[in-house]
Structure formats: C-alpha cells, structure tokens
Amino acid sequence: MSLLKSFALSRSQILVLSALWISLLPNLATLQRFIESPSTTGGVAHVAFVSTGWLLLFALTLFFLSLLGLLFPGRSIKVWCAIAIIVASVLGYYSFFLGTLFDKTMFANILGTHPAETLELIGVRMLSWIALVGILPALFVAACPMKASNSWLGETGRSAALLVLPVLAAVVAVFPQFQSFASAGRNKSITFHTVAPINLVAAAVSHVATQRASSIVRDPVGVDAKIRYELEKPRLVVFVLGETARAQNQALNGYSRPTNERMIAEHVINFPYTESCGTATAISVPCIFSGFTREEFSLSKAAGRETLIDVIHRTGMKTLWRDNDGGCKGVCDRGAIVEELTDSDDPRFCTENGNCFDAILLDGLEERLKNEKKDIFVVLHIKGSHGPAYFKRYPKEFERFTPACQSNELSSCSSESLRNAYDNTIVYTDHILGEVVSMLKRLSPQFATSMLYASDHGESLGERGLYLHGLPYAVAPEEQTRVPMLAWFSPEFLALECWSEGCVRRQSQPGKKHDHIYSTILGLLDISTDQYQPELDIFSGCERETDSPPKKTLTPIGAKTS
C-alpha cells in the first residue's frame, strides 16, 4: 500500500493515463488501420499521419472519459475509468484478432446471441488478453490513491478543459491532413465504430432508440389477405432459414468441394450468390419477414409494422416455427406456433445445453404434419454454420474434411483446418435439407409440398484478416453478404399449381436477393394481399406458361362447383 501511495495521482492525471492506455493496446486494430492506410506517400508524411491518427484516438477517448468525469464527480471516476479499460480490452480483442466492428447492428446481434454461443467465443488467448490489457491496468487505476481536490470548482474546470483541449489539438493536427484522413475513413473503415469503448456506447444508445421505437403498436399490414385458391391437396410450404452459410462454399455455385451432394441429387432450383439483407441475424431475419427491401429496411421501421407471419395468420393459415438458433428476433411473436428447441437437453441431438444439432428440428415433425388437414407454413430456423465453434455444429460422422479446426480461436487455426470445419457445417446443412426433401416426398400423397432455403448472412474465414460476420453492410466483404438460396418442388405441387417446370428452372440465375423472399412465400401460399409484389416473387410468371396445361382444376375460394 505504501508503494501505491507514492503513485498518488490527481483526478486529471487518472483520466489522461486511462485515455493513453485505451488509445494504445485496446485500440490496436484502429492504429493498425492507420498504419496500413495508403493515404500518404510514405516516409515522414506517413509517420505524421499515423501519429496524428493516434492523437485523434487519444483525444476522442479523453473526451469520453472527461465527459464521464463531469457526470460522476469525485473518486467514482476511478471505477468508471477501470470499467472503460476492461470494456475497451474486450472490444479490442475482437477488433484486432477477428476484425469485428461494433455498431448498432453488432450490438443487437450481441444481445440476441444465445448464452451457449457466447461461451463458445471465450478462449485462453481471449482471457489472457483481457487479463493483461484490461484487468491489470484497471486494477492499478482502481487501487491507485487519488489526490484530494482543492475545490469542486477547480475540479470541474479541469474536467471541462480536458473536454475541450484534446479535441482542439486533434482538430488542429487533423485539418492539414484532412484529405488523407477522409481517404482513410473511406478505404480502411476508420470510424466511430472502430474506437473502443466509444463504439459500444454509441451502439447502445442507437439500439435503445430503436427499441423505444419498437414499443409503438405495430401497424397492421395485409388486412385484405386471403387465400386465392384451394387446391385439391392442402399446401405444405417449408422455409428453412439458414445461419451463417456463405455462397462461396456451395458446390451448387461451382465450389470445388462436394458440399451440396444431396441438393444436387434433388435437382433443386439454385439462386447463385443471393444478396443478403444484413450481415447479422438480428438484421437479416427481421428484414426478410418485414416486406421491406434492404434499401428501405431499418429496425425501427420494421418494429412498427406487422410481419409476414401476421399476414399469413390473417388468412386463417397455420404457421409452425421451430427454432434451434436462439429465437425468431421478434418476427414470430404473434400468429405462429413457436417451438423453441435451442435449450433442449435431448441426448439424441444435444451434446451440451444450448448446443443441439439441427436434426432436432425434424424430430417428430413428420408425424405431426400428418395430422394437419389444411394449408400450413413451416419455418425451420437452423443453427447451420454459426461460428466460431464450427466443429460443434455437426455430428462427428459428418466431419468429411480433415483436419478440422477444433478451437473457437479462429485466427489460431490454419486456414485449411478452418475451411475444413466450416465446410463440414455446409455438408451437414445439406444433409438436413435432404432430410426435409425426403420428408416432403413422403408427405406428397397428402400435401402439395415445396421447400425454400436461404441463409441469413455469410461469414468471413480469415480473408483480409476478417473473421465471423456483422460488419456494417457498406464495408462488408461479399463473404458476409452473399448467401445460398434454393427451392424444391414436388411434382404434385407443380401440377396442382399449373406451373411449368421449365419456367421454374429458368429462374435459377444470379441477381436474387433476400428482398424476394417475402413475396415469393406469399406466392407459394397463393395469398392475395396488397403486400404482395409480383416483381419480387421469383416464380410470379410461371403459372401463365402455356407450354404446360393445367393437370388439375383450381377452385377459387367461394366459387360454386357443379
């Protein structure tokens, strides 16, 4: 304790030292972006640019801590500085080692992550980093004696000065190099999303604003919804909502490995390199079911209106939602029968609580559907390829590609073993989709069956030093924004709907987006509503094909038959 007394610091010194530390190691990823930026010609100019970049980081951090100092006068600032250091170290770990940016999308994604998935992110290297970069310096700040202030007025004045002076210094330093910094911001994505812990605070504020907007009563949509026709058999449409599968690793898209053997054997209609609505589940799932295009979508707008599930429910059709991925992000809260299986402990499918293989979604499903007598829409929300513990997403017998990375610390695995583990998840998803198709074939005597599959977003596997997903869409690589999407129809479905198989197969071409899913599902279910946009229904023109005459007579609801 006597040793610590010799390090007694004033309140201002604690703020400055804390800001110095946070602007260095916890923000190493942002410093690296400045260093790697091609915004200068090199030499002395580049050294000046990087130094000014660090000064900007320091000024922003000191401004943030000084603002806390004004809000929390007295010795409590030591606690807040310690918390800021620890939080910045956690954020810094993910930014430096995994290339993660923390914006409101990532914040929503964190809140929506299942606890078991959160535990998978924790490893020895992460804990070591947090201990050395976060906890130890935080303990020093918390334990270091603070000199008594002579007056409240003087203390407040110094805090106010610390708010203003660093910002002025940064502005003066940045202004002569403005073009270089503007270029760095565009080319290296250096924004508030990269500065810890300010990024987390900004993301939290933005998320709270969005949540407040979501408390507004949802506006009804599709109030005119009705089923256009009754078929001779009830419709059974299964939508498999995937997780973290990227288009680049699909054999259907020309990938060199056999990752889609069952889907290729089923001659599915493939939509190569479909454009996702977001780079995180918390964005893509609400977007898909909102009826908005990606350009129109925002979480606040979607929170204020009903979803596709509400429209379907309004027709009297049943929706069954089975989930193995931590929930439906609010889109199935009304109008659906929801079966949450993420926390199951069924030993047939689950290796640990919160980690169940996707086969659990099919358990007992066929027997249940045999009891249905009317049209039904089924959503299977799979865990798919969710990282970072890819090796936990599939049973051992599906480990086709070896050696497979057995760690959740992705950057510690070789690129080959990481790709092997990820590709094994794609193989297992292909198996699940194959089992769905087999079930639908067996149910074809009872239903007109069809399946649509799409992943919510993609994944980075170390390309350009990036891992996982969740980058802001504007700067996200195609590995995170291009996803697999495919469809399968039973012959009975095509016959009863009077669809030409030739027309259906001609839709297998690039250019599809998540934007198409909403109206395509309405089309598959033959739902008439003002929410339906034929230009966004992938198969909207196929029933008008003249080369395939109807094999069954369709009966409009309410029409009289002789």
Side-chain angles (χ1 to χ4, degrees):
M1 186 57 118
S2 59
L3 182 63
L4 277 175
K5 284 183 179 180
S6 64
F7 287 103
L9 301 172
S10 69
R11 198 165 184 274
S12 297
Q13 288 173 327
I14 289 175
L15 289 171
V16 170
L17 285 177
S18 298
L20 279 171
W21 181 258
I22 291 173
S23 63
L24 290 171
L25 284 182
N27 277 289
L28 194 58
T30 306
L31 287 173
Q32 185 178 37
R33 289 171 183 265
F34 280 117
I35 293 170
E36 295 174 353
S37 175
S39 302
T40 64
T41 56
V44 175
H46 191 67
V47 172
F49 171 74
V50 174
S51 300
T52 305
W54 171 79
L55 177 61
L56 182 61
L57 288 178
F58 170 69
L60 289 172
T61 306
L62 184 55
F63 177 87
F64 171 71
L65 294 179
S66 298
L67 187 60
L68 286 177
L70 286 175
L71 295 174
F72 302 97
R75 298 180 181 275
S76 64
I77 192 59
K78 293 202 303 176
V79 176
W80 287 108
C81 285
I83 291 174
I85 290 171
I86 293 174
V87 171
S89 72
V90 175
L91 299 174
Y93 174 85
Y94 286 106
S95 296
F96 184 69
F97 290 103
L98 300 177
T100 304
L101 296 184
F102 287 87
D103 60 358
K104 67 175 183 179
T105 300
M106 180 57 69
F107 189 82
N109 200 41
I110 292 170
L111 294 182
T113 300
H114 190 273
E117 295 171 350
T118 302
L119 290 175
E120 291 177 358
L121 294 168
I122 299 174
V124 174
R125 183 173 62 183
M126 176 185 176
L127 294 176
S128 300
W129 169 277
I130 294 173
L132 294 174
V133 178
I135 295 176
L136 286 180
L139 288 175
F140 172 80
V141 169
C144 186
M146 191 169 79
K147 296 177 181 177
S149 175
N150 295 329
S151 69
W152 175 86
L153 185 61
E155 178 182 295
T156 303
R158 283 187 290 272
S159 295
L162 289 176
L163 272 174
V164 176
L165 294 178
V167 175
L168 288 177
V171 169
V172 170
V174 168
F175 185 76
Q177 307 177 70
F178 178 76
Q179 290 300 326
S180 296
F181 277 90
S183 176
R186 289 192 301 270
N187 298 327
K188 299 303 294 183
S189 307
I190 301 172
T191 67
F192 281 108
H193 302 322
T194 66
V195 182
I198 297 172
N199 50 3
L200 185 66
V201 176
V205 170
S206 180
H207 178 76
V208 169
T210 300
Q211 292 302 108
R212 285 177 63 88
S214 69
S215 63
I216 301 172
V217 176
R218 290 177 182 257
D219 293 332
V221 295
V223 294
D224 61 335
K226 62 182 180 180
I227 300 173
R228 291 193 304 150
Y229 293 100
E230 287 180 341
L231 299 180
E232 292 183 8
K233 295 177 182 178
R235 303 169 183 83
L236 169 55
V237 177
V238 177
F239 177 38
V240 182
L241 178 55
E243 169 69 63
T244 319
R246 67 186 200 176
Q248 291 81 358
N249 291 56
Q250 310 295 317
L252 283 164
N253 294 335
Y255 187 51
S256 60
R257 286 180 161 183
T259 52
N260 303 130
E261 287 183 331
R262 292 193 66 170
M263 290 300 93
I264 291 173
E266 295 295 350
H267 304 288
V268 297
I269 296 90
N270 180 48
F271 309 107
Y273 292 87
T274 294
E275 184 179 309
S276 70
C277 188
T279 62
T281 306
I283 298 297
S284 287
V285 172
C287 181
I288 287 170
F289 287 86
S290 71
F292 291 122
T293 63
R294 183 177 69 80
E295 289 75 17
E296 298 167 339
F297 176 81
S298 71
L299 284 173
S300 57
K301 287 170 64 176
R305 62 179 264 155
E306 292 180 336
T307 72
L308 174 63
I309 303 300
D310 296 294
V311 177
I312 295 172
H313 179 68
R314 192 162 280 121
T315 69
M317 188 182 301
K318 183 184 294 184
T319 294
L320 172 63
W321 186 297
R322 283 191 157 192
D323 205 293
N324 187 38
D325 197 31
C328 68
K329 313 308 175 191
V331 305
C332 66
D333 292 347
R334 300 161 313 281
I337 301 168
V338 180
E339 296 180 358
E340 176 57 69
L341 302 174
T342 306
D343 293 316
S344 174
D345 57 0
D346 190 327
R348 295 174 299 161
F349 307 103
C350 307
T351 57
E352 56 191 61
N353 189 37
N355 183 47
C356 300
F357 300 129
D358 286 324
I360 194 171
L361 295 171
L362 302 179
D363 185 43
L365 179 59
E366 184 173 350
E367 291 71 22
R368 177 169 184 165
L369 292 173
K370 285 179 179 178
N371 296 321
E372 299 293 335
K373 305 300 181 186
K374 297 182 179 180
D375 295 347
I376 183 169
F377 177 53
V378 177
V379 181
L380 302 177
H381 191 191
I382 66 174
K383 187 165 288 187
S385 303
H386 197 289
Y390 305 120
F391 65 98
K392 292 184 178 182
R393 300 288 88 88
Y394 52 86
K396 196 67 176 177
E397 59 266 29
F398 287 90
E399 193 168 85
R400 176 174 299 183
F401 306 109
T402 58
C405 173
Q406 301 293 310
S407 173
N408 57 5
E409 295 179 355
L410 301 184
S411 59
S412 67
C413 292
S414 68
S415 57
E416 178 189 6
S417 67
L418 181 58
R419 183 173 73 132
N420 288 342
Y422 183 82
D423 284 349
N424 290 333
T425 69
I426 304 298
V427 170
Y428 184 58
T429 294
D430 177 66
H431 166 75
I432 296 298
L433 296 176
E435 292 300 291
V436 172
V437 170
S438 296
M439 176 190 71
L440 294 178
K441 287 181 176 179
R442 292 191 296 269
L443 291 171
S444 289
Q446 180 181 346
F447 295 97
T449 59
S450 62
M451 179 190 77
L452 181 67
Y453 163 72
S455 180
D456 57 357
H457 55 77
E459 186 84 325
S460 289
L461 298 175
E463 301 88 0
R464 296 173 290 280
L466 300 176
Y467 295 88
L468 303 176
H469 54 267
L471 284 176
Y473 206 95
V475 298
E478 287 197 351
E479 288 84 5
Q480 296 188 27
T481 64
R482 297 300 183 266
V483 298
M485 186 164 76
L486 57 87
W488 175 89
F489 304 106
S490 67
E492 293 84 0
F493 182 93
L494 294 177
L496 290 170
E497 289 285 11
C498 307
W499 285 9
S500 158
E501 183 175 354
C503 176
V504 167
R505 294 204 172 277
R506 283 197 295 274
Q507 309 314 308
S508 181
Q509 51 191 326
K512 302 300 186 295
K513 304 178 180 181
H514 274 172
D515 300 351
H516 290 90
I517 295 176
Y518 188 99
S519 286
T520 297
I521 290 175
L522 289 175
L524 294 177
L525 297 172
D526 270 322
I527 292 177
S528 172
T529 171
D530 59 5
Q531 297 301 301
Y532 174 74
Q533 302 179 64
E535 69 275 12
L536 292 179
D537 178 358
I538 295 172
F539 306 107
S540 62
C542 290
E543 64 182 54
R544 294 188 291 274
E545 288 281 303
T546 58
D547 60 345
S548 179
K551 297 180 181 180
K552 299 289 183 182
T553 301
L554 301 182
T555 306
I557 291 179
K560 295 182 179 179
T561 58
S562 56

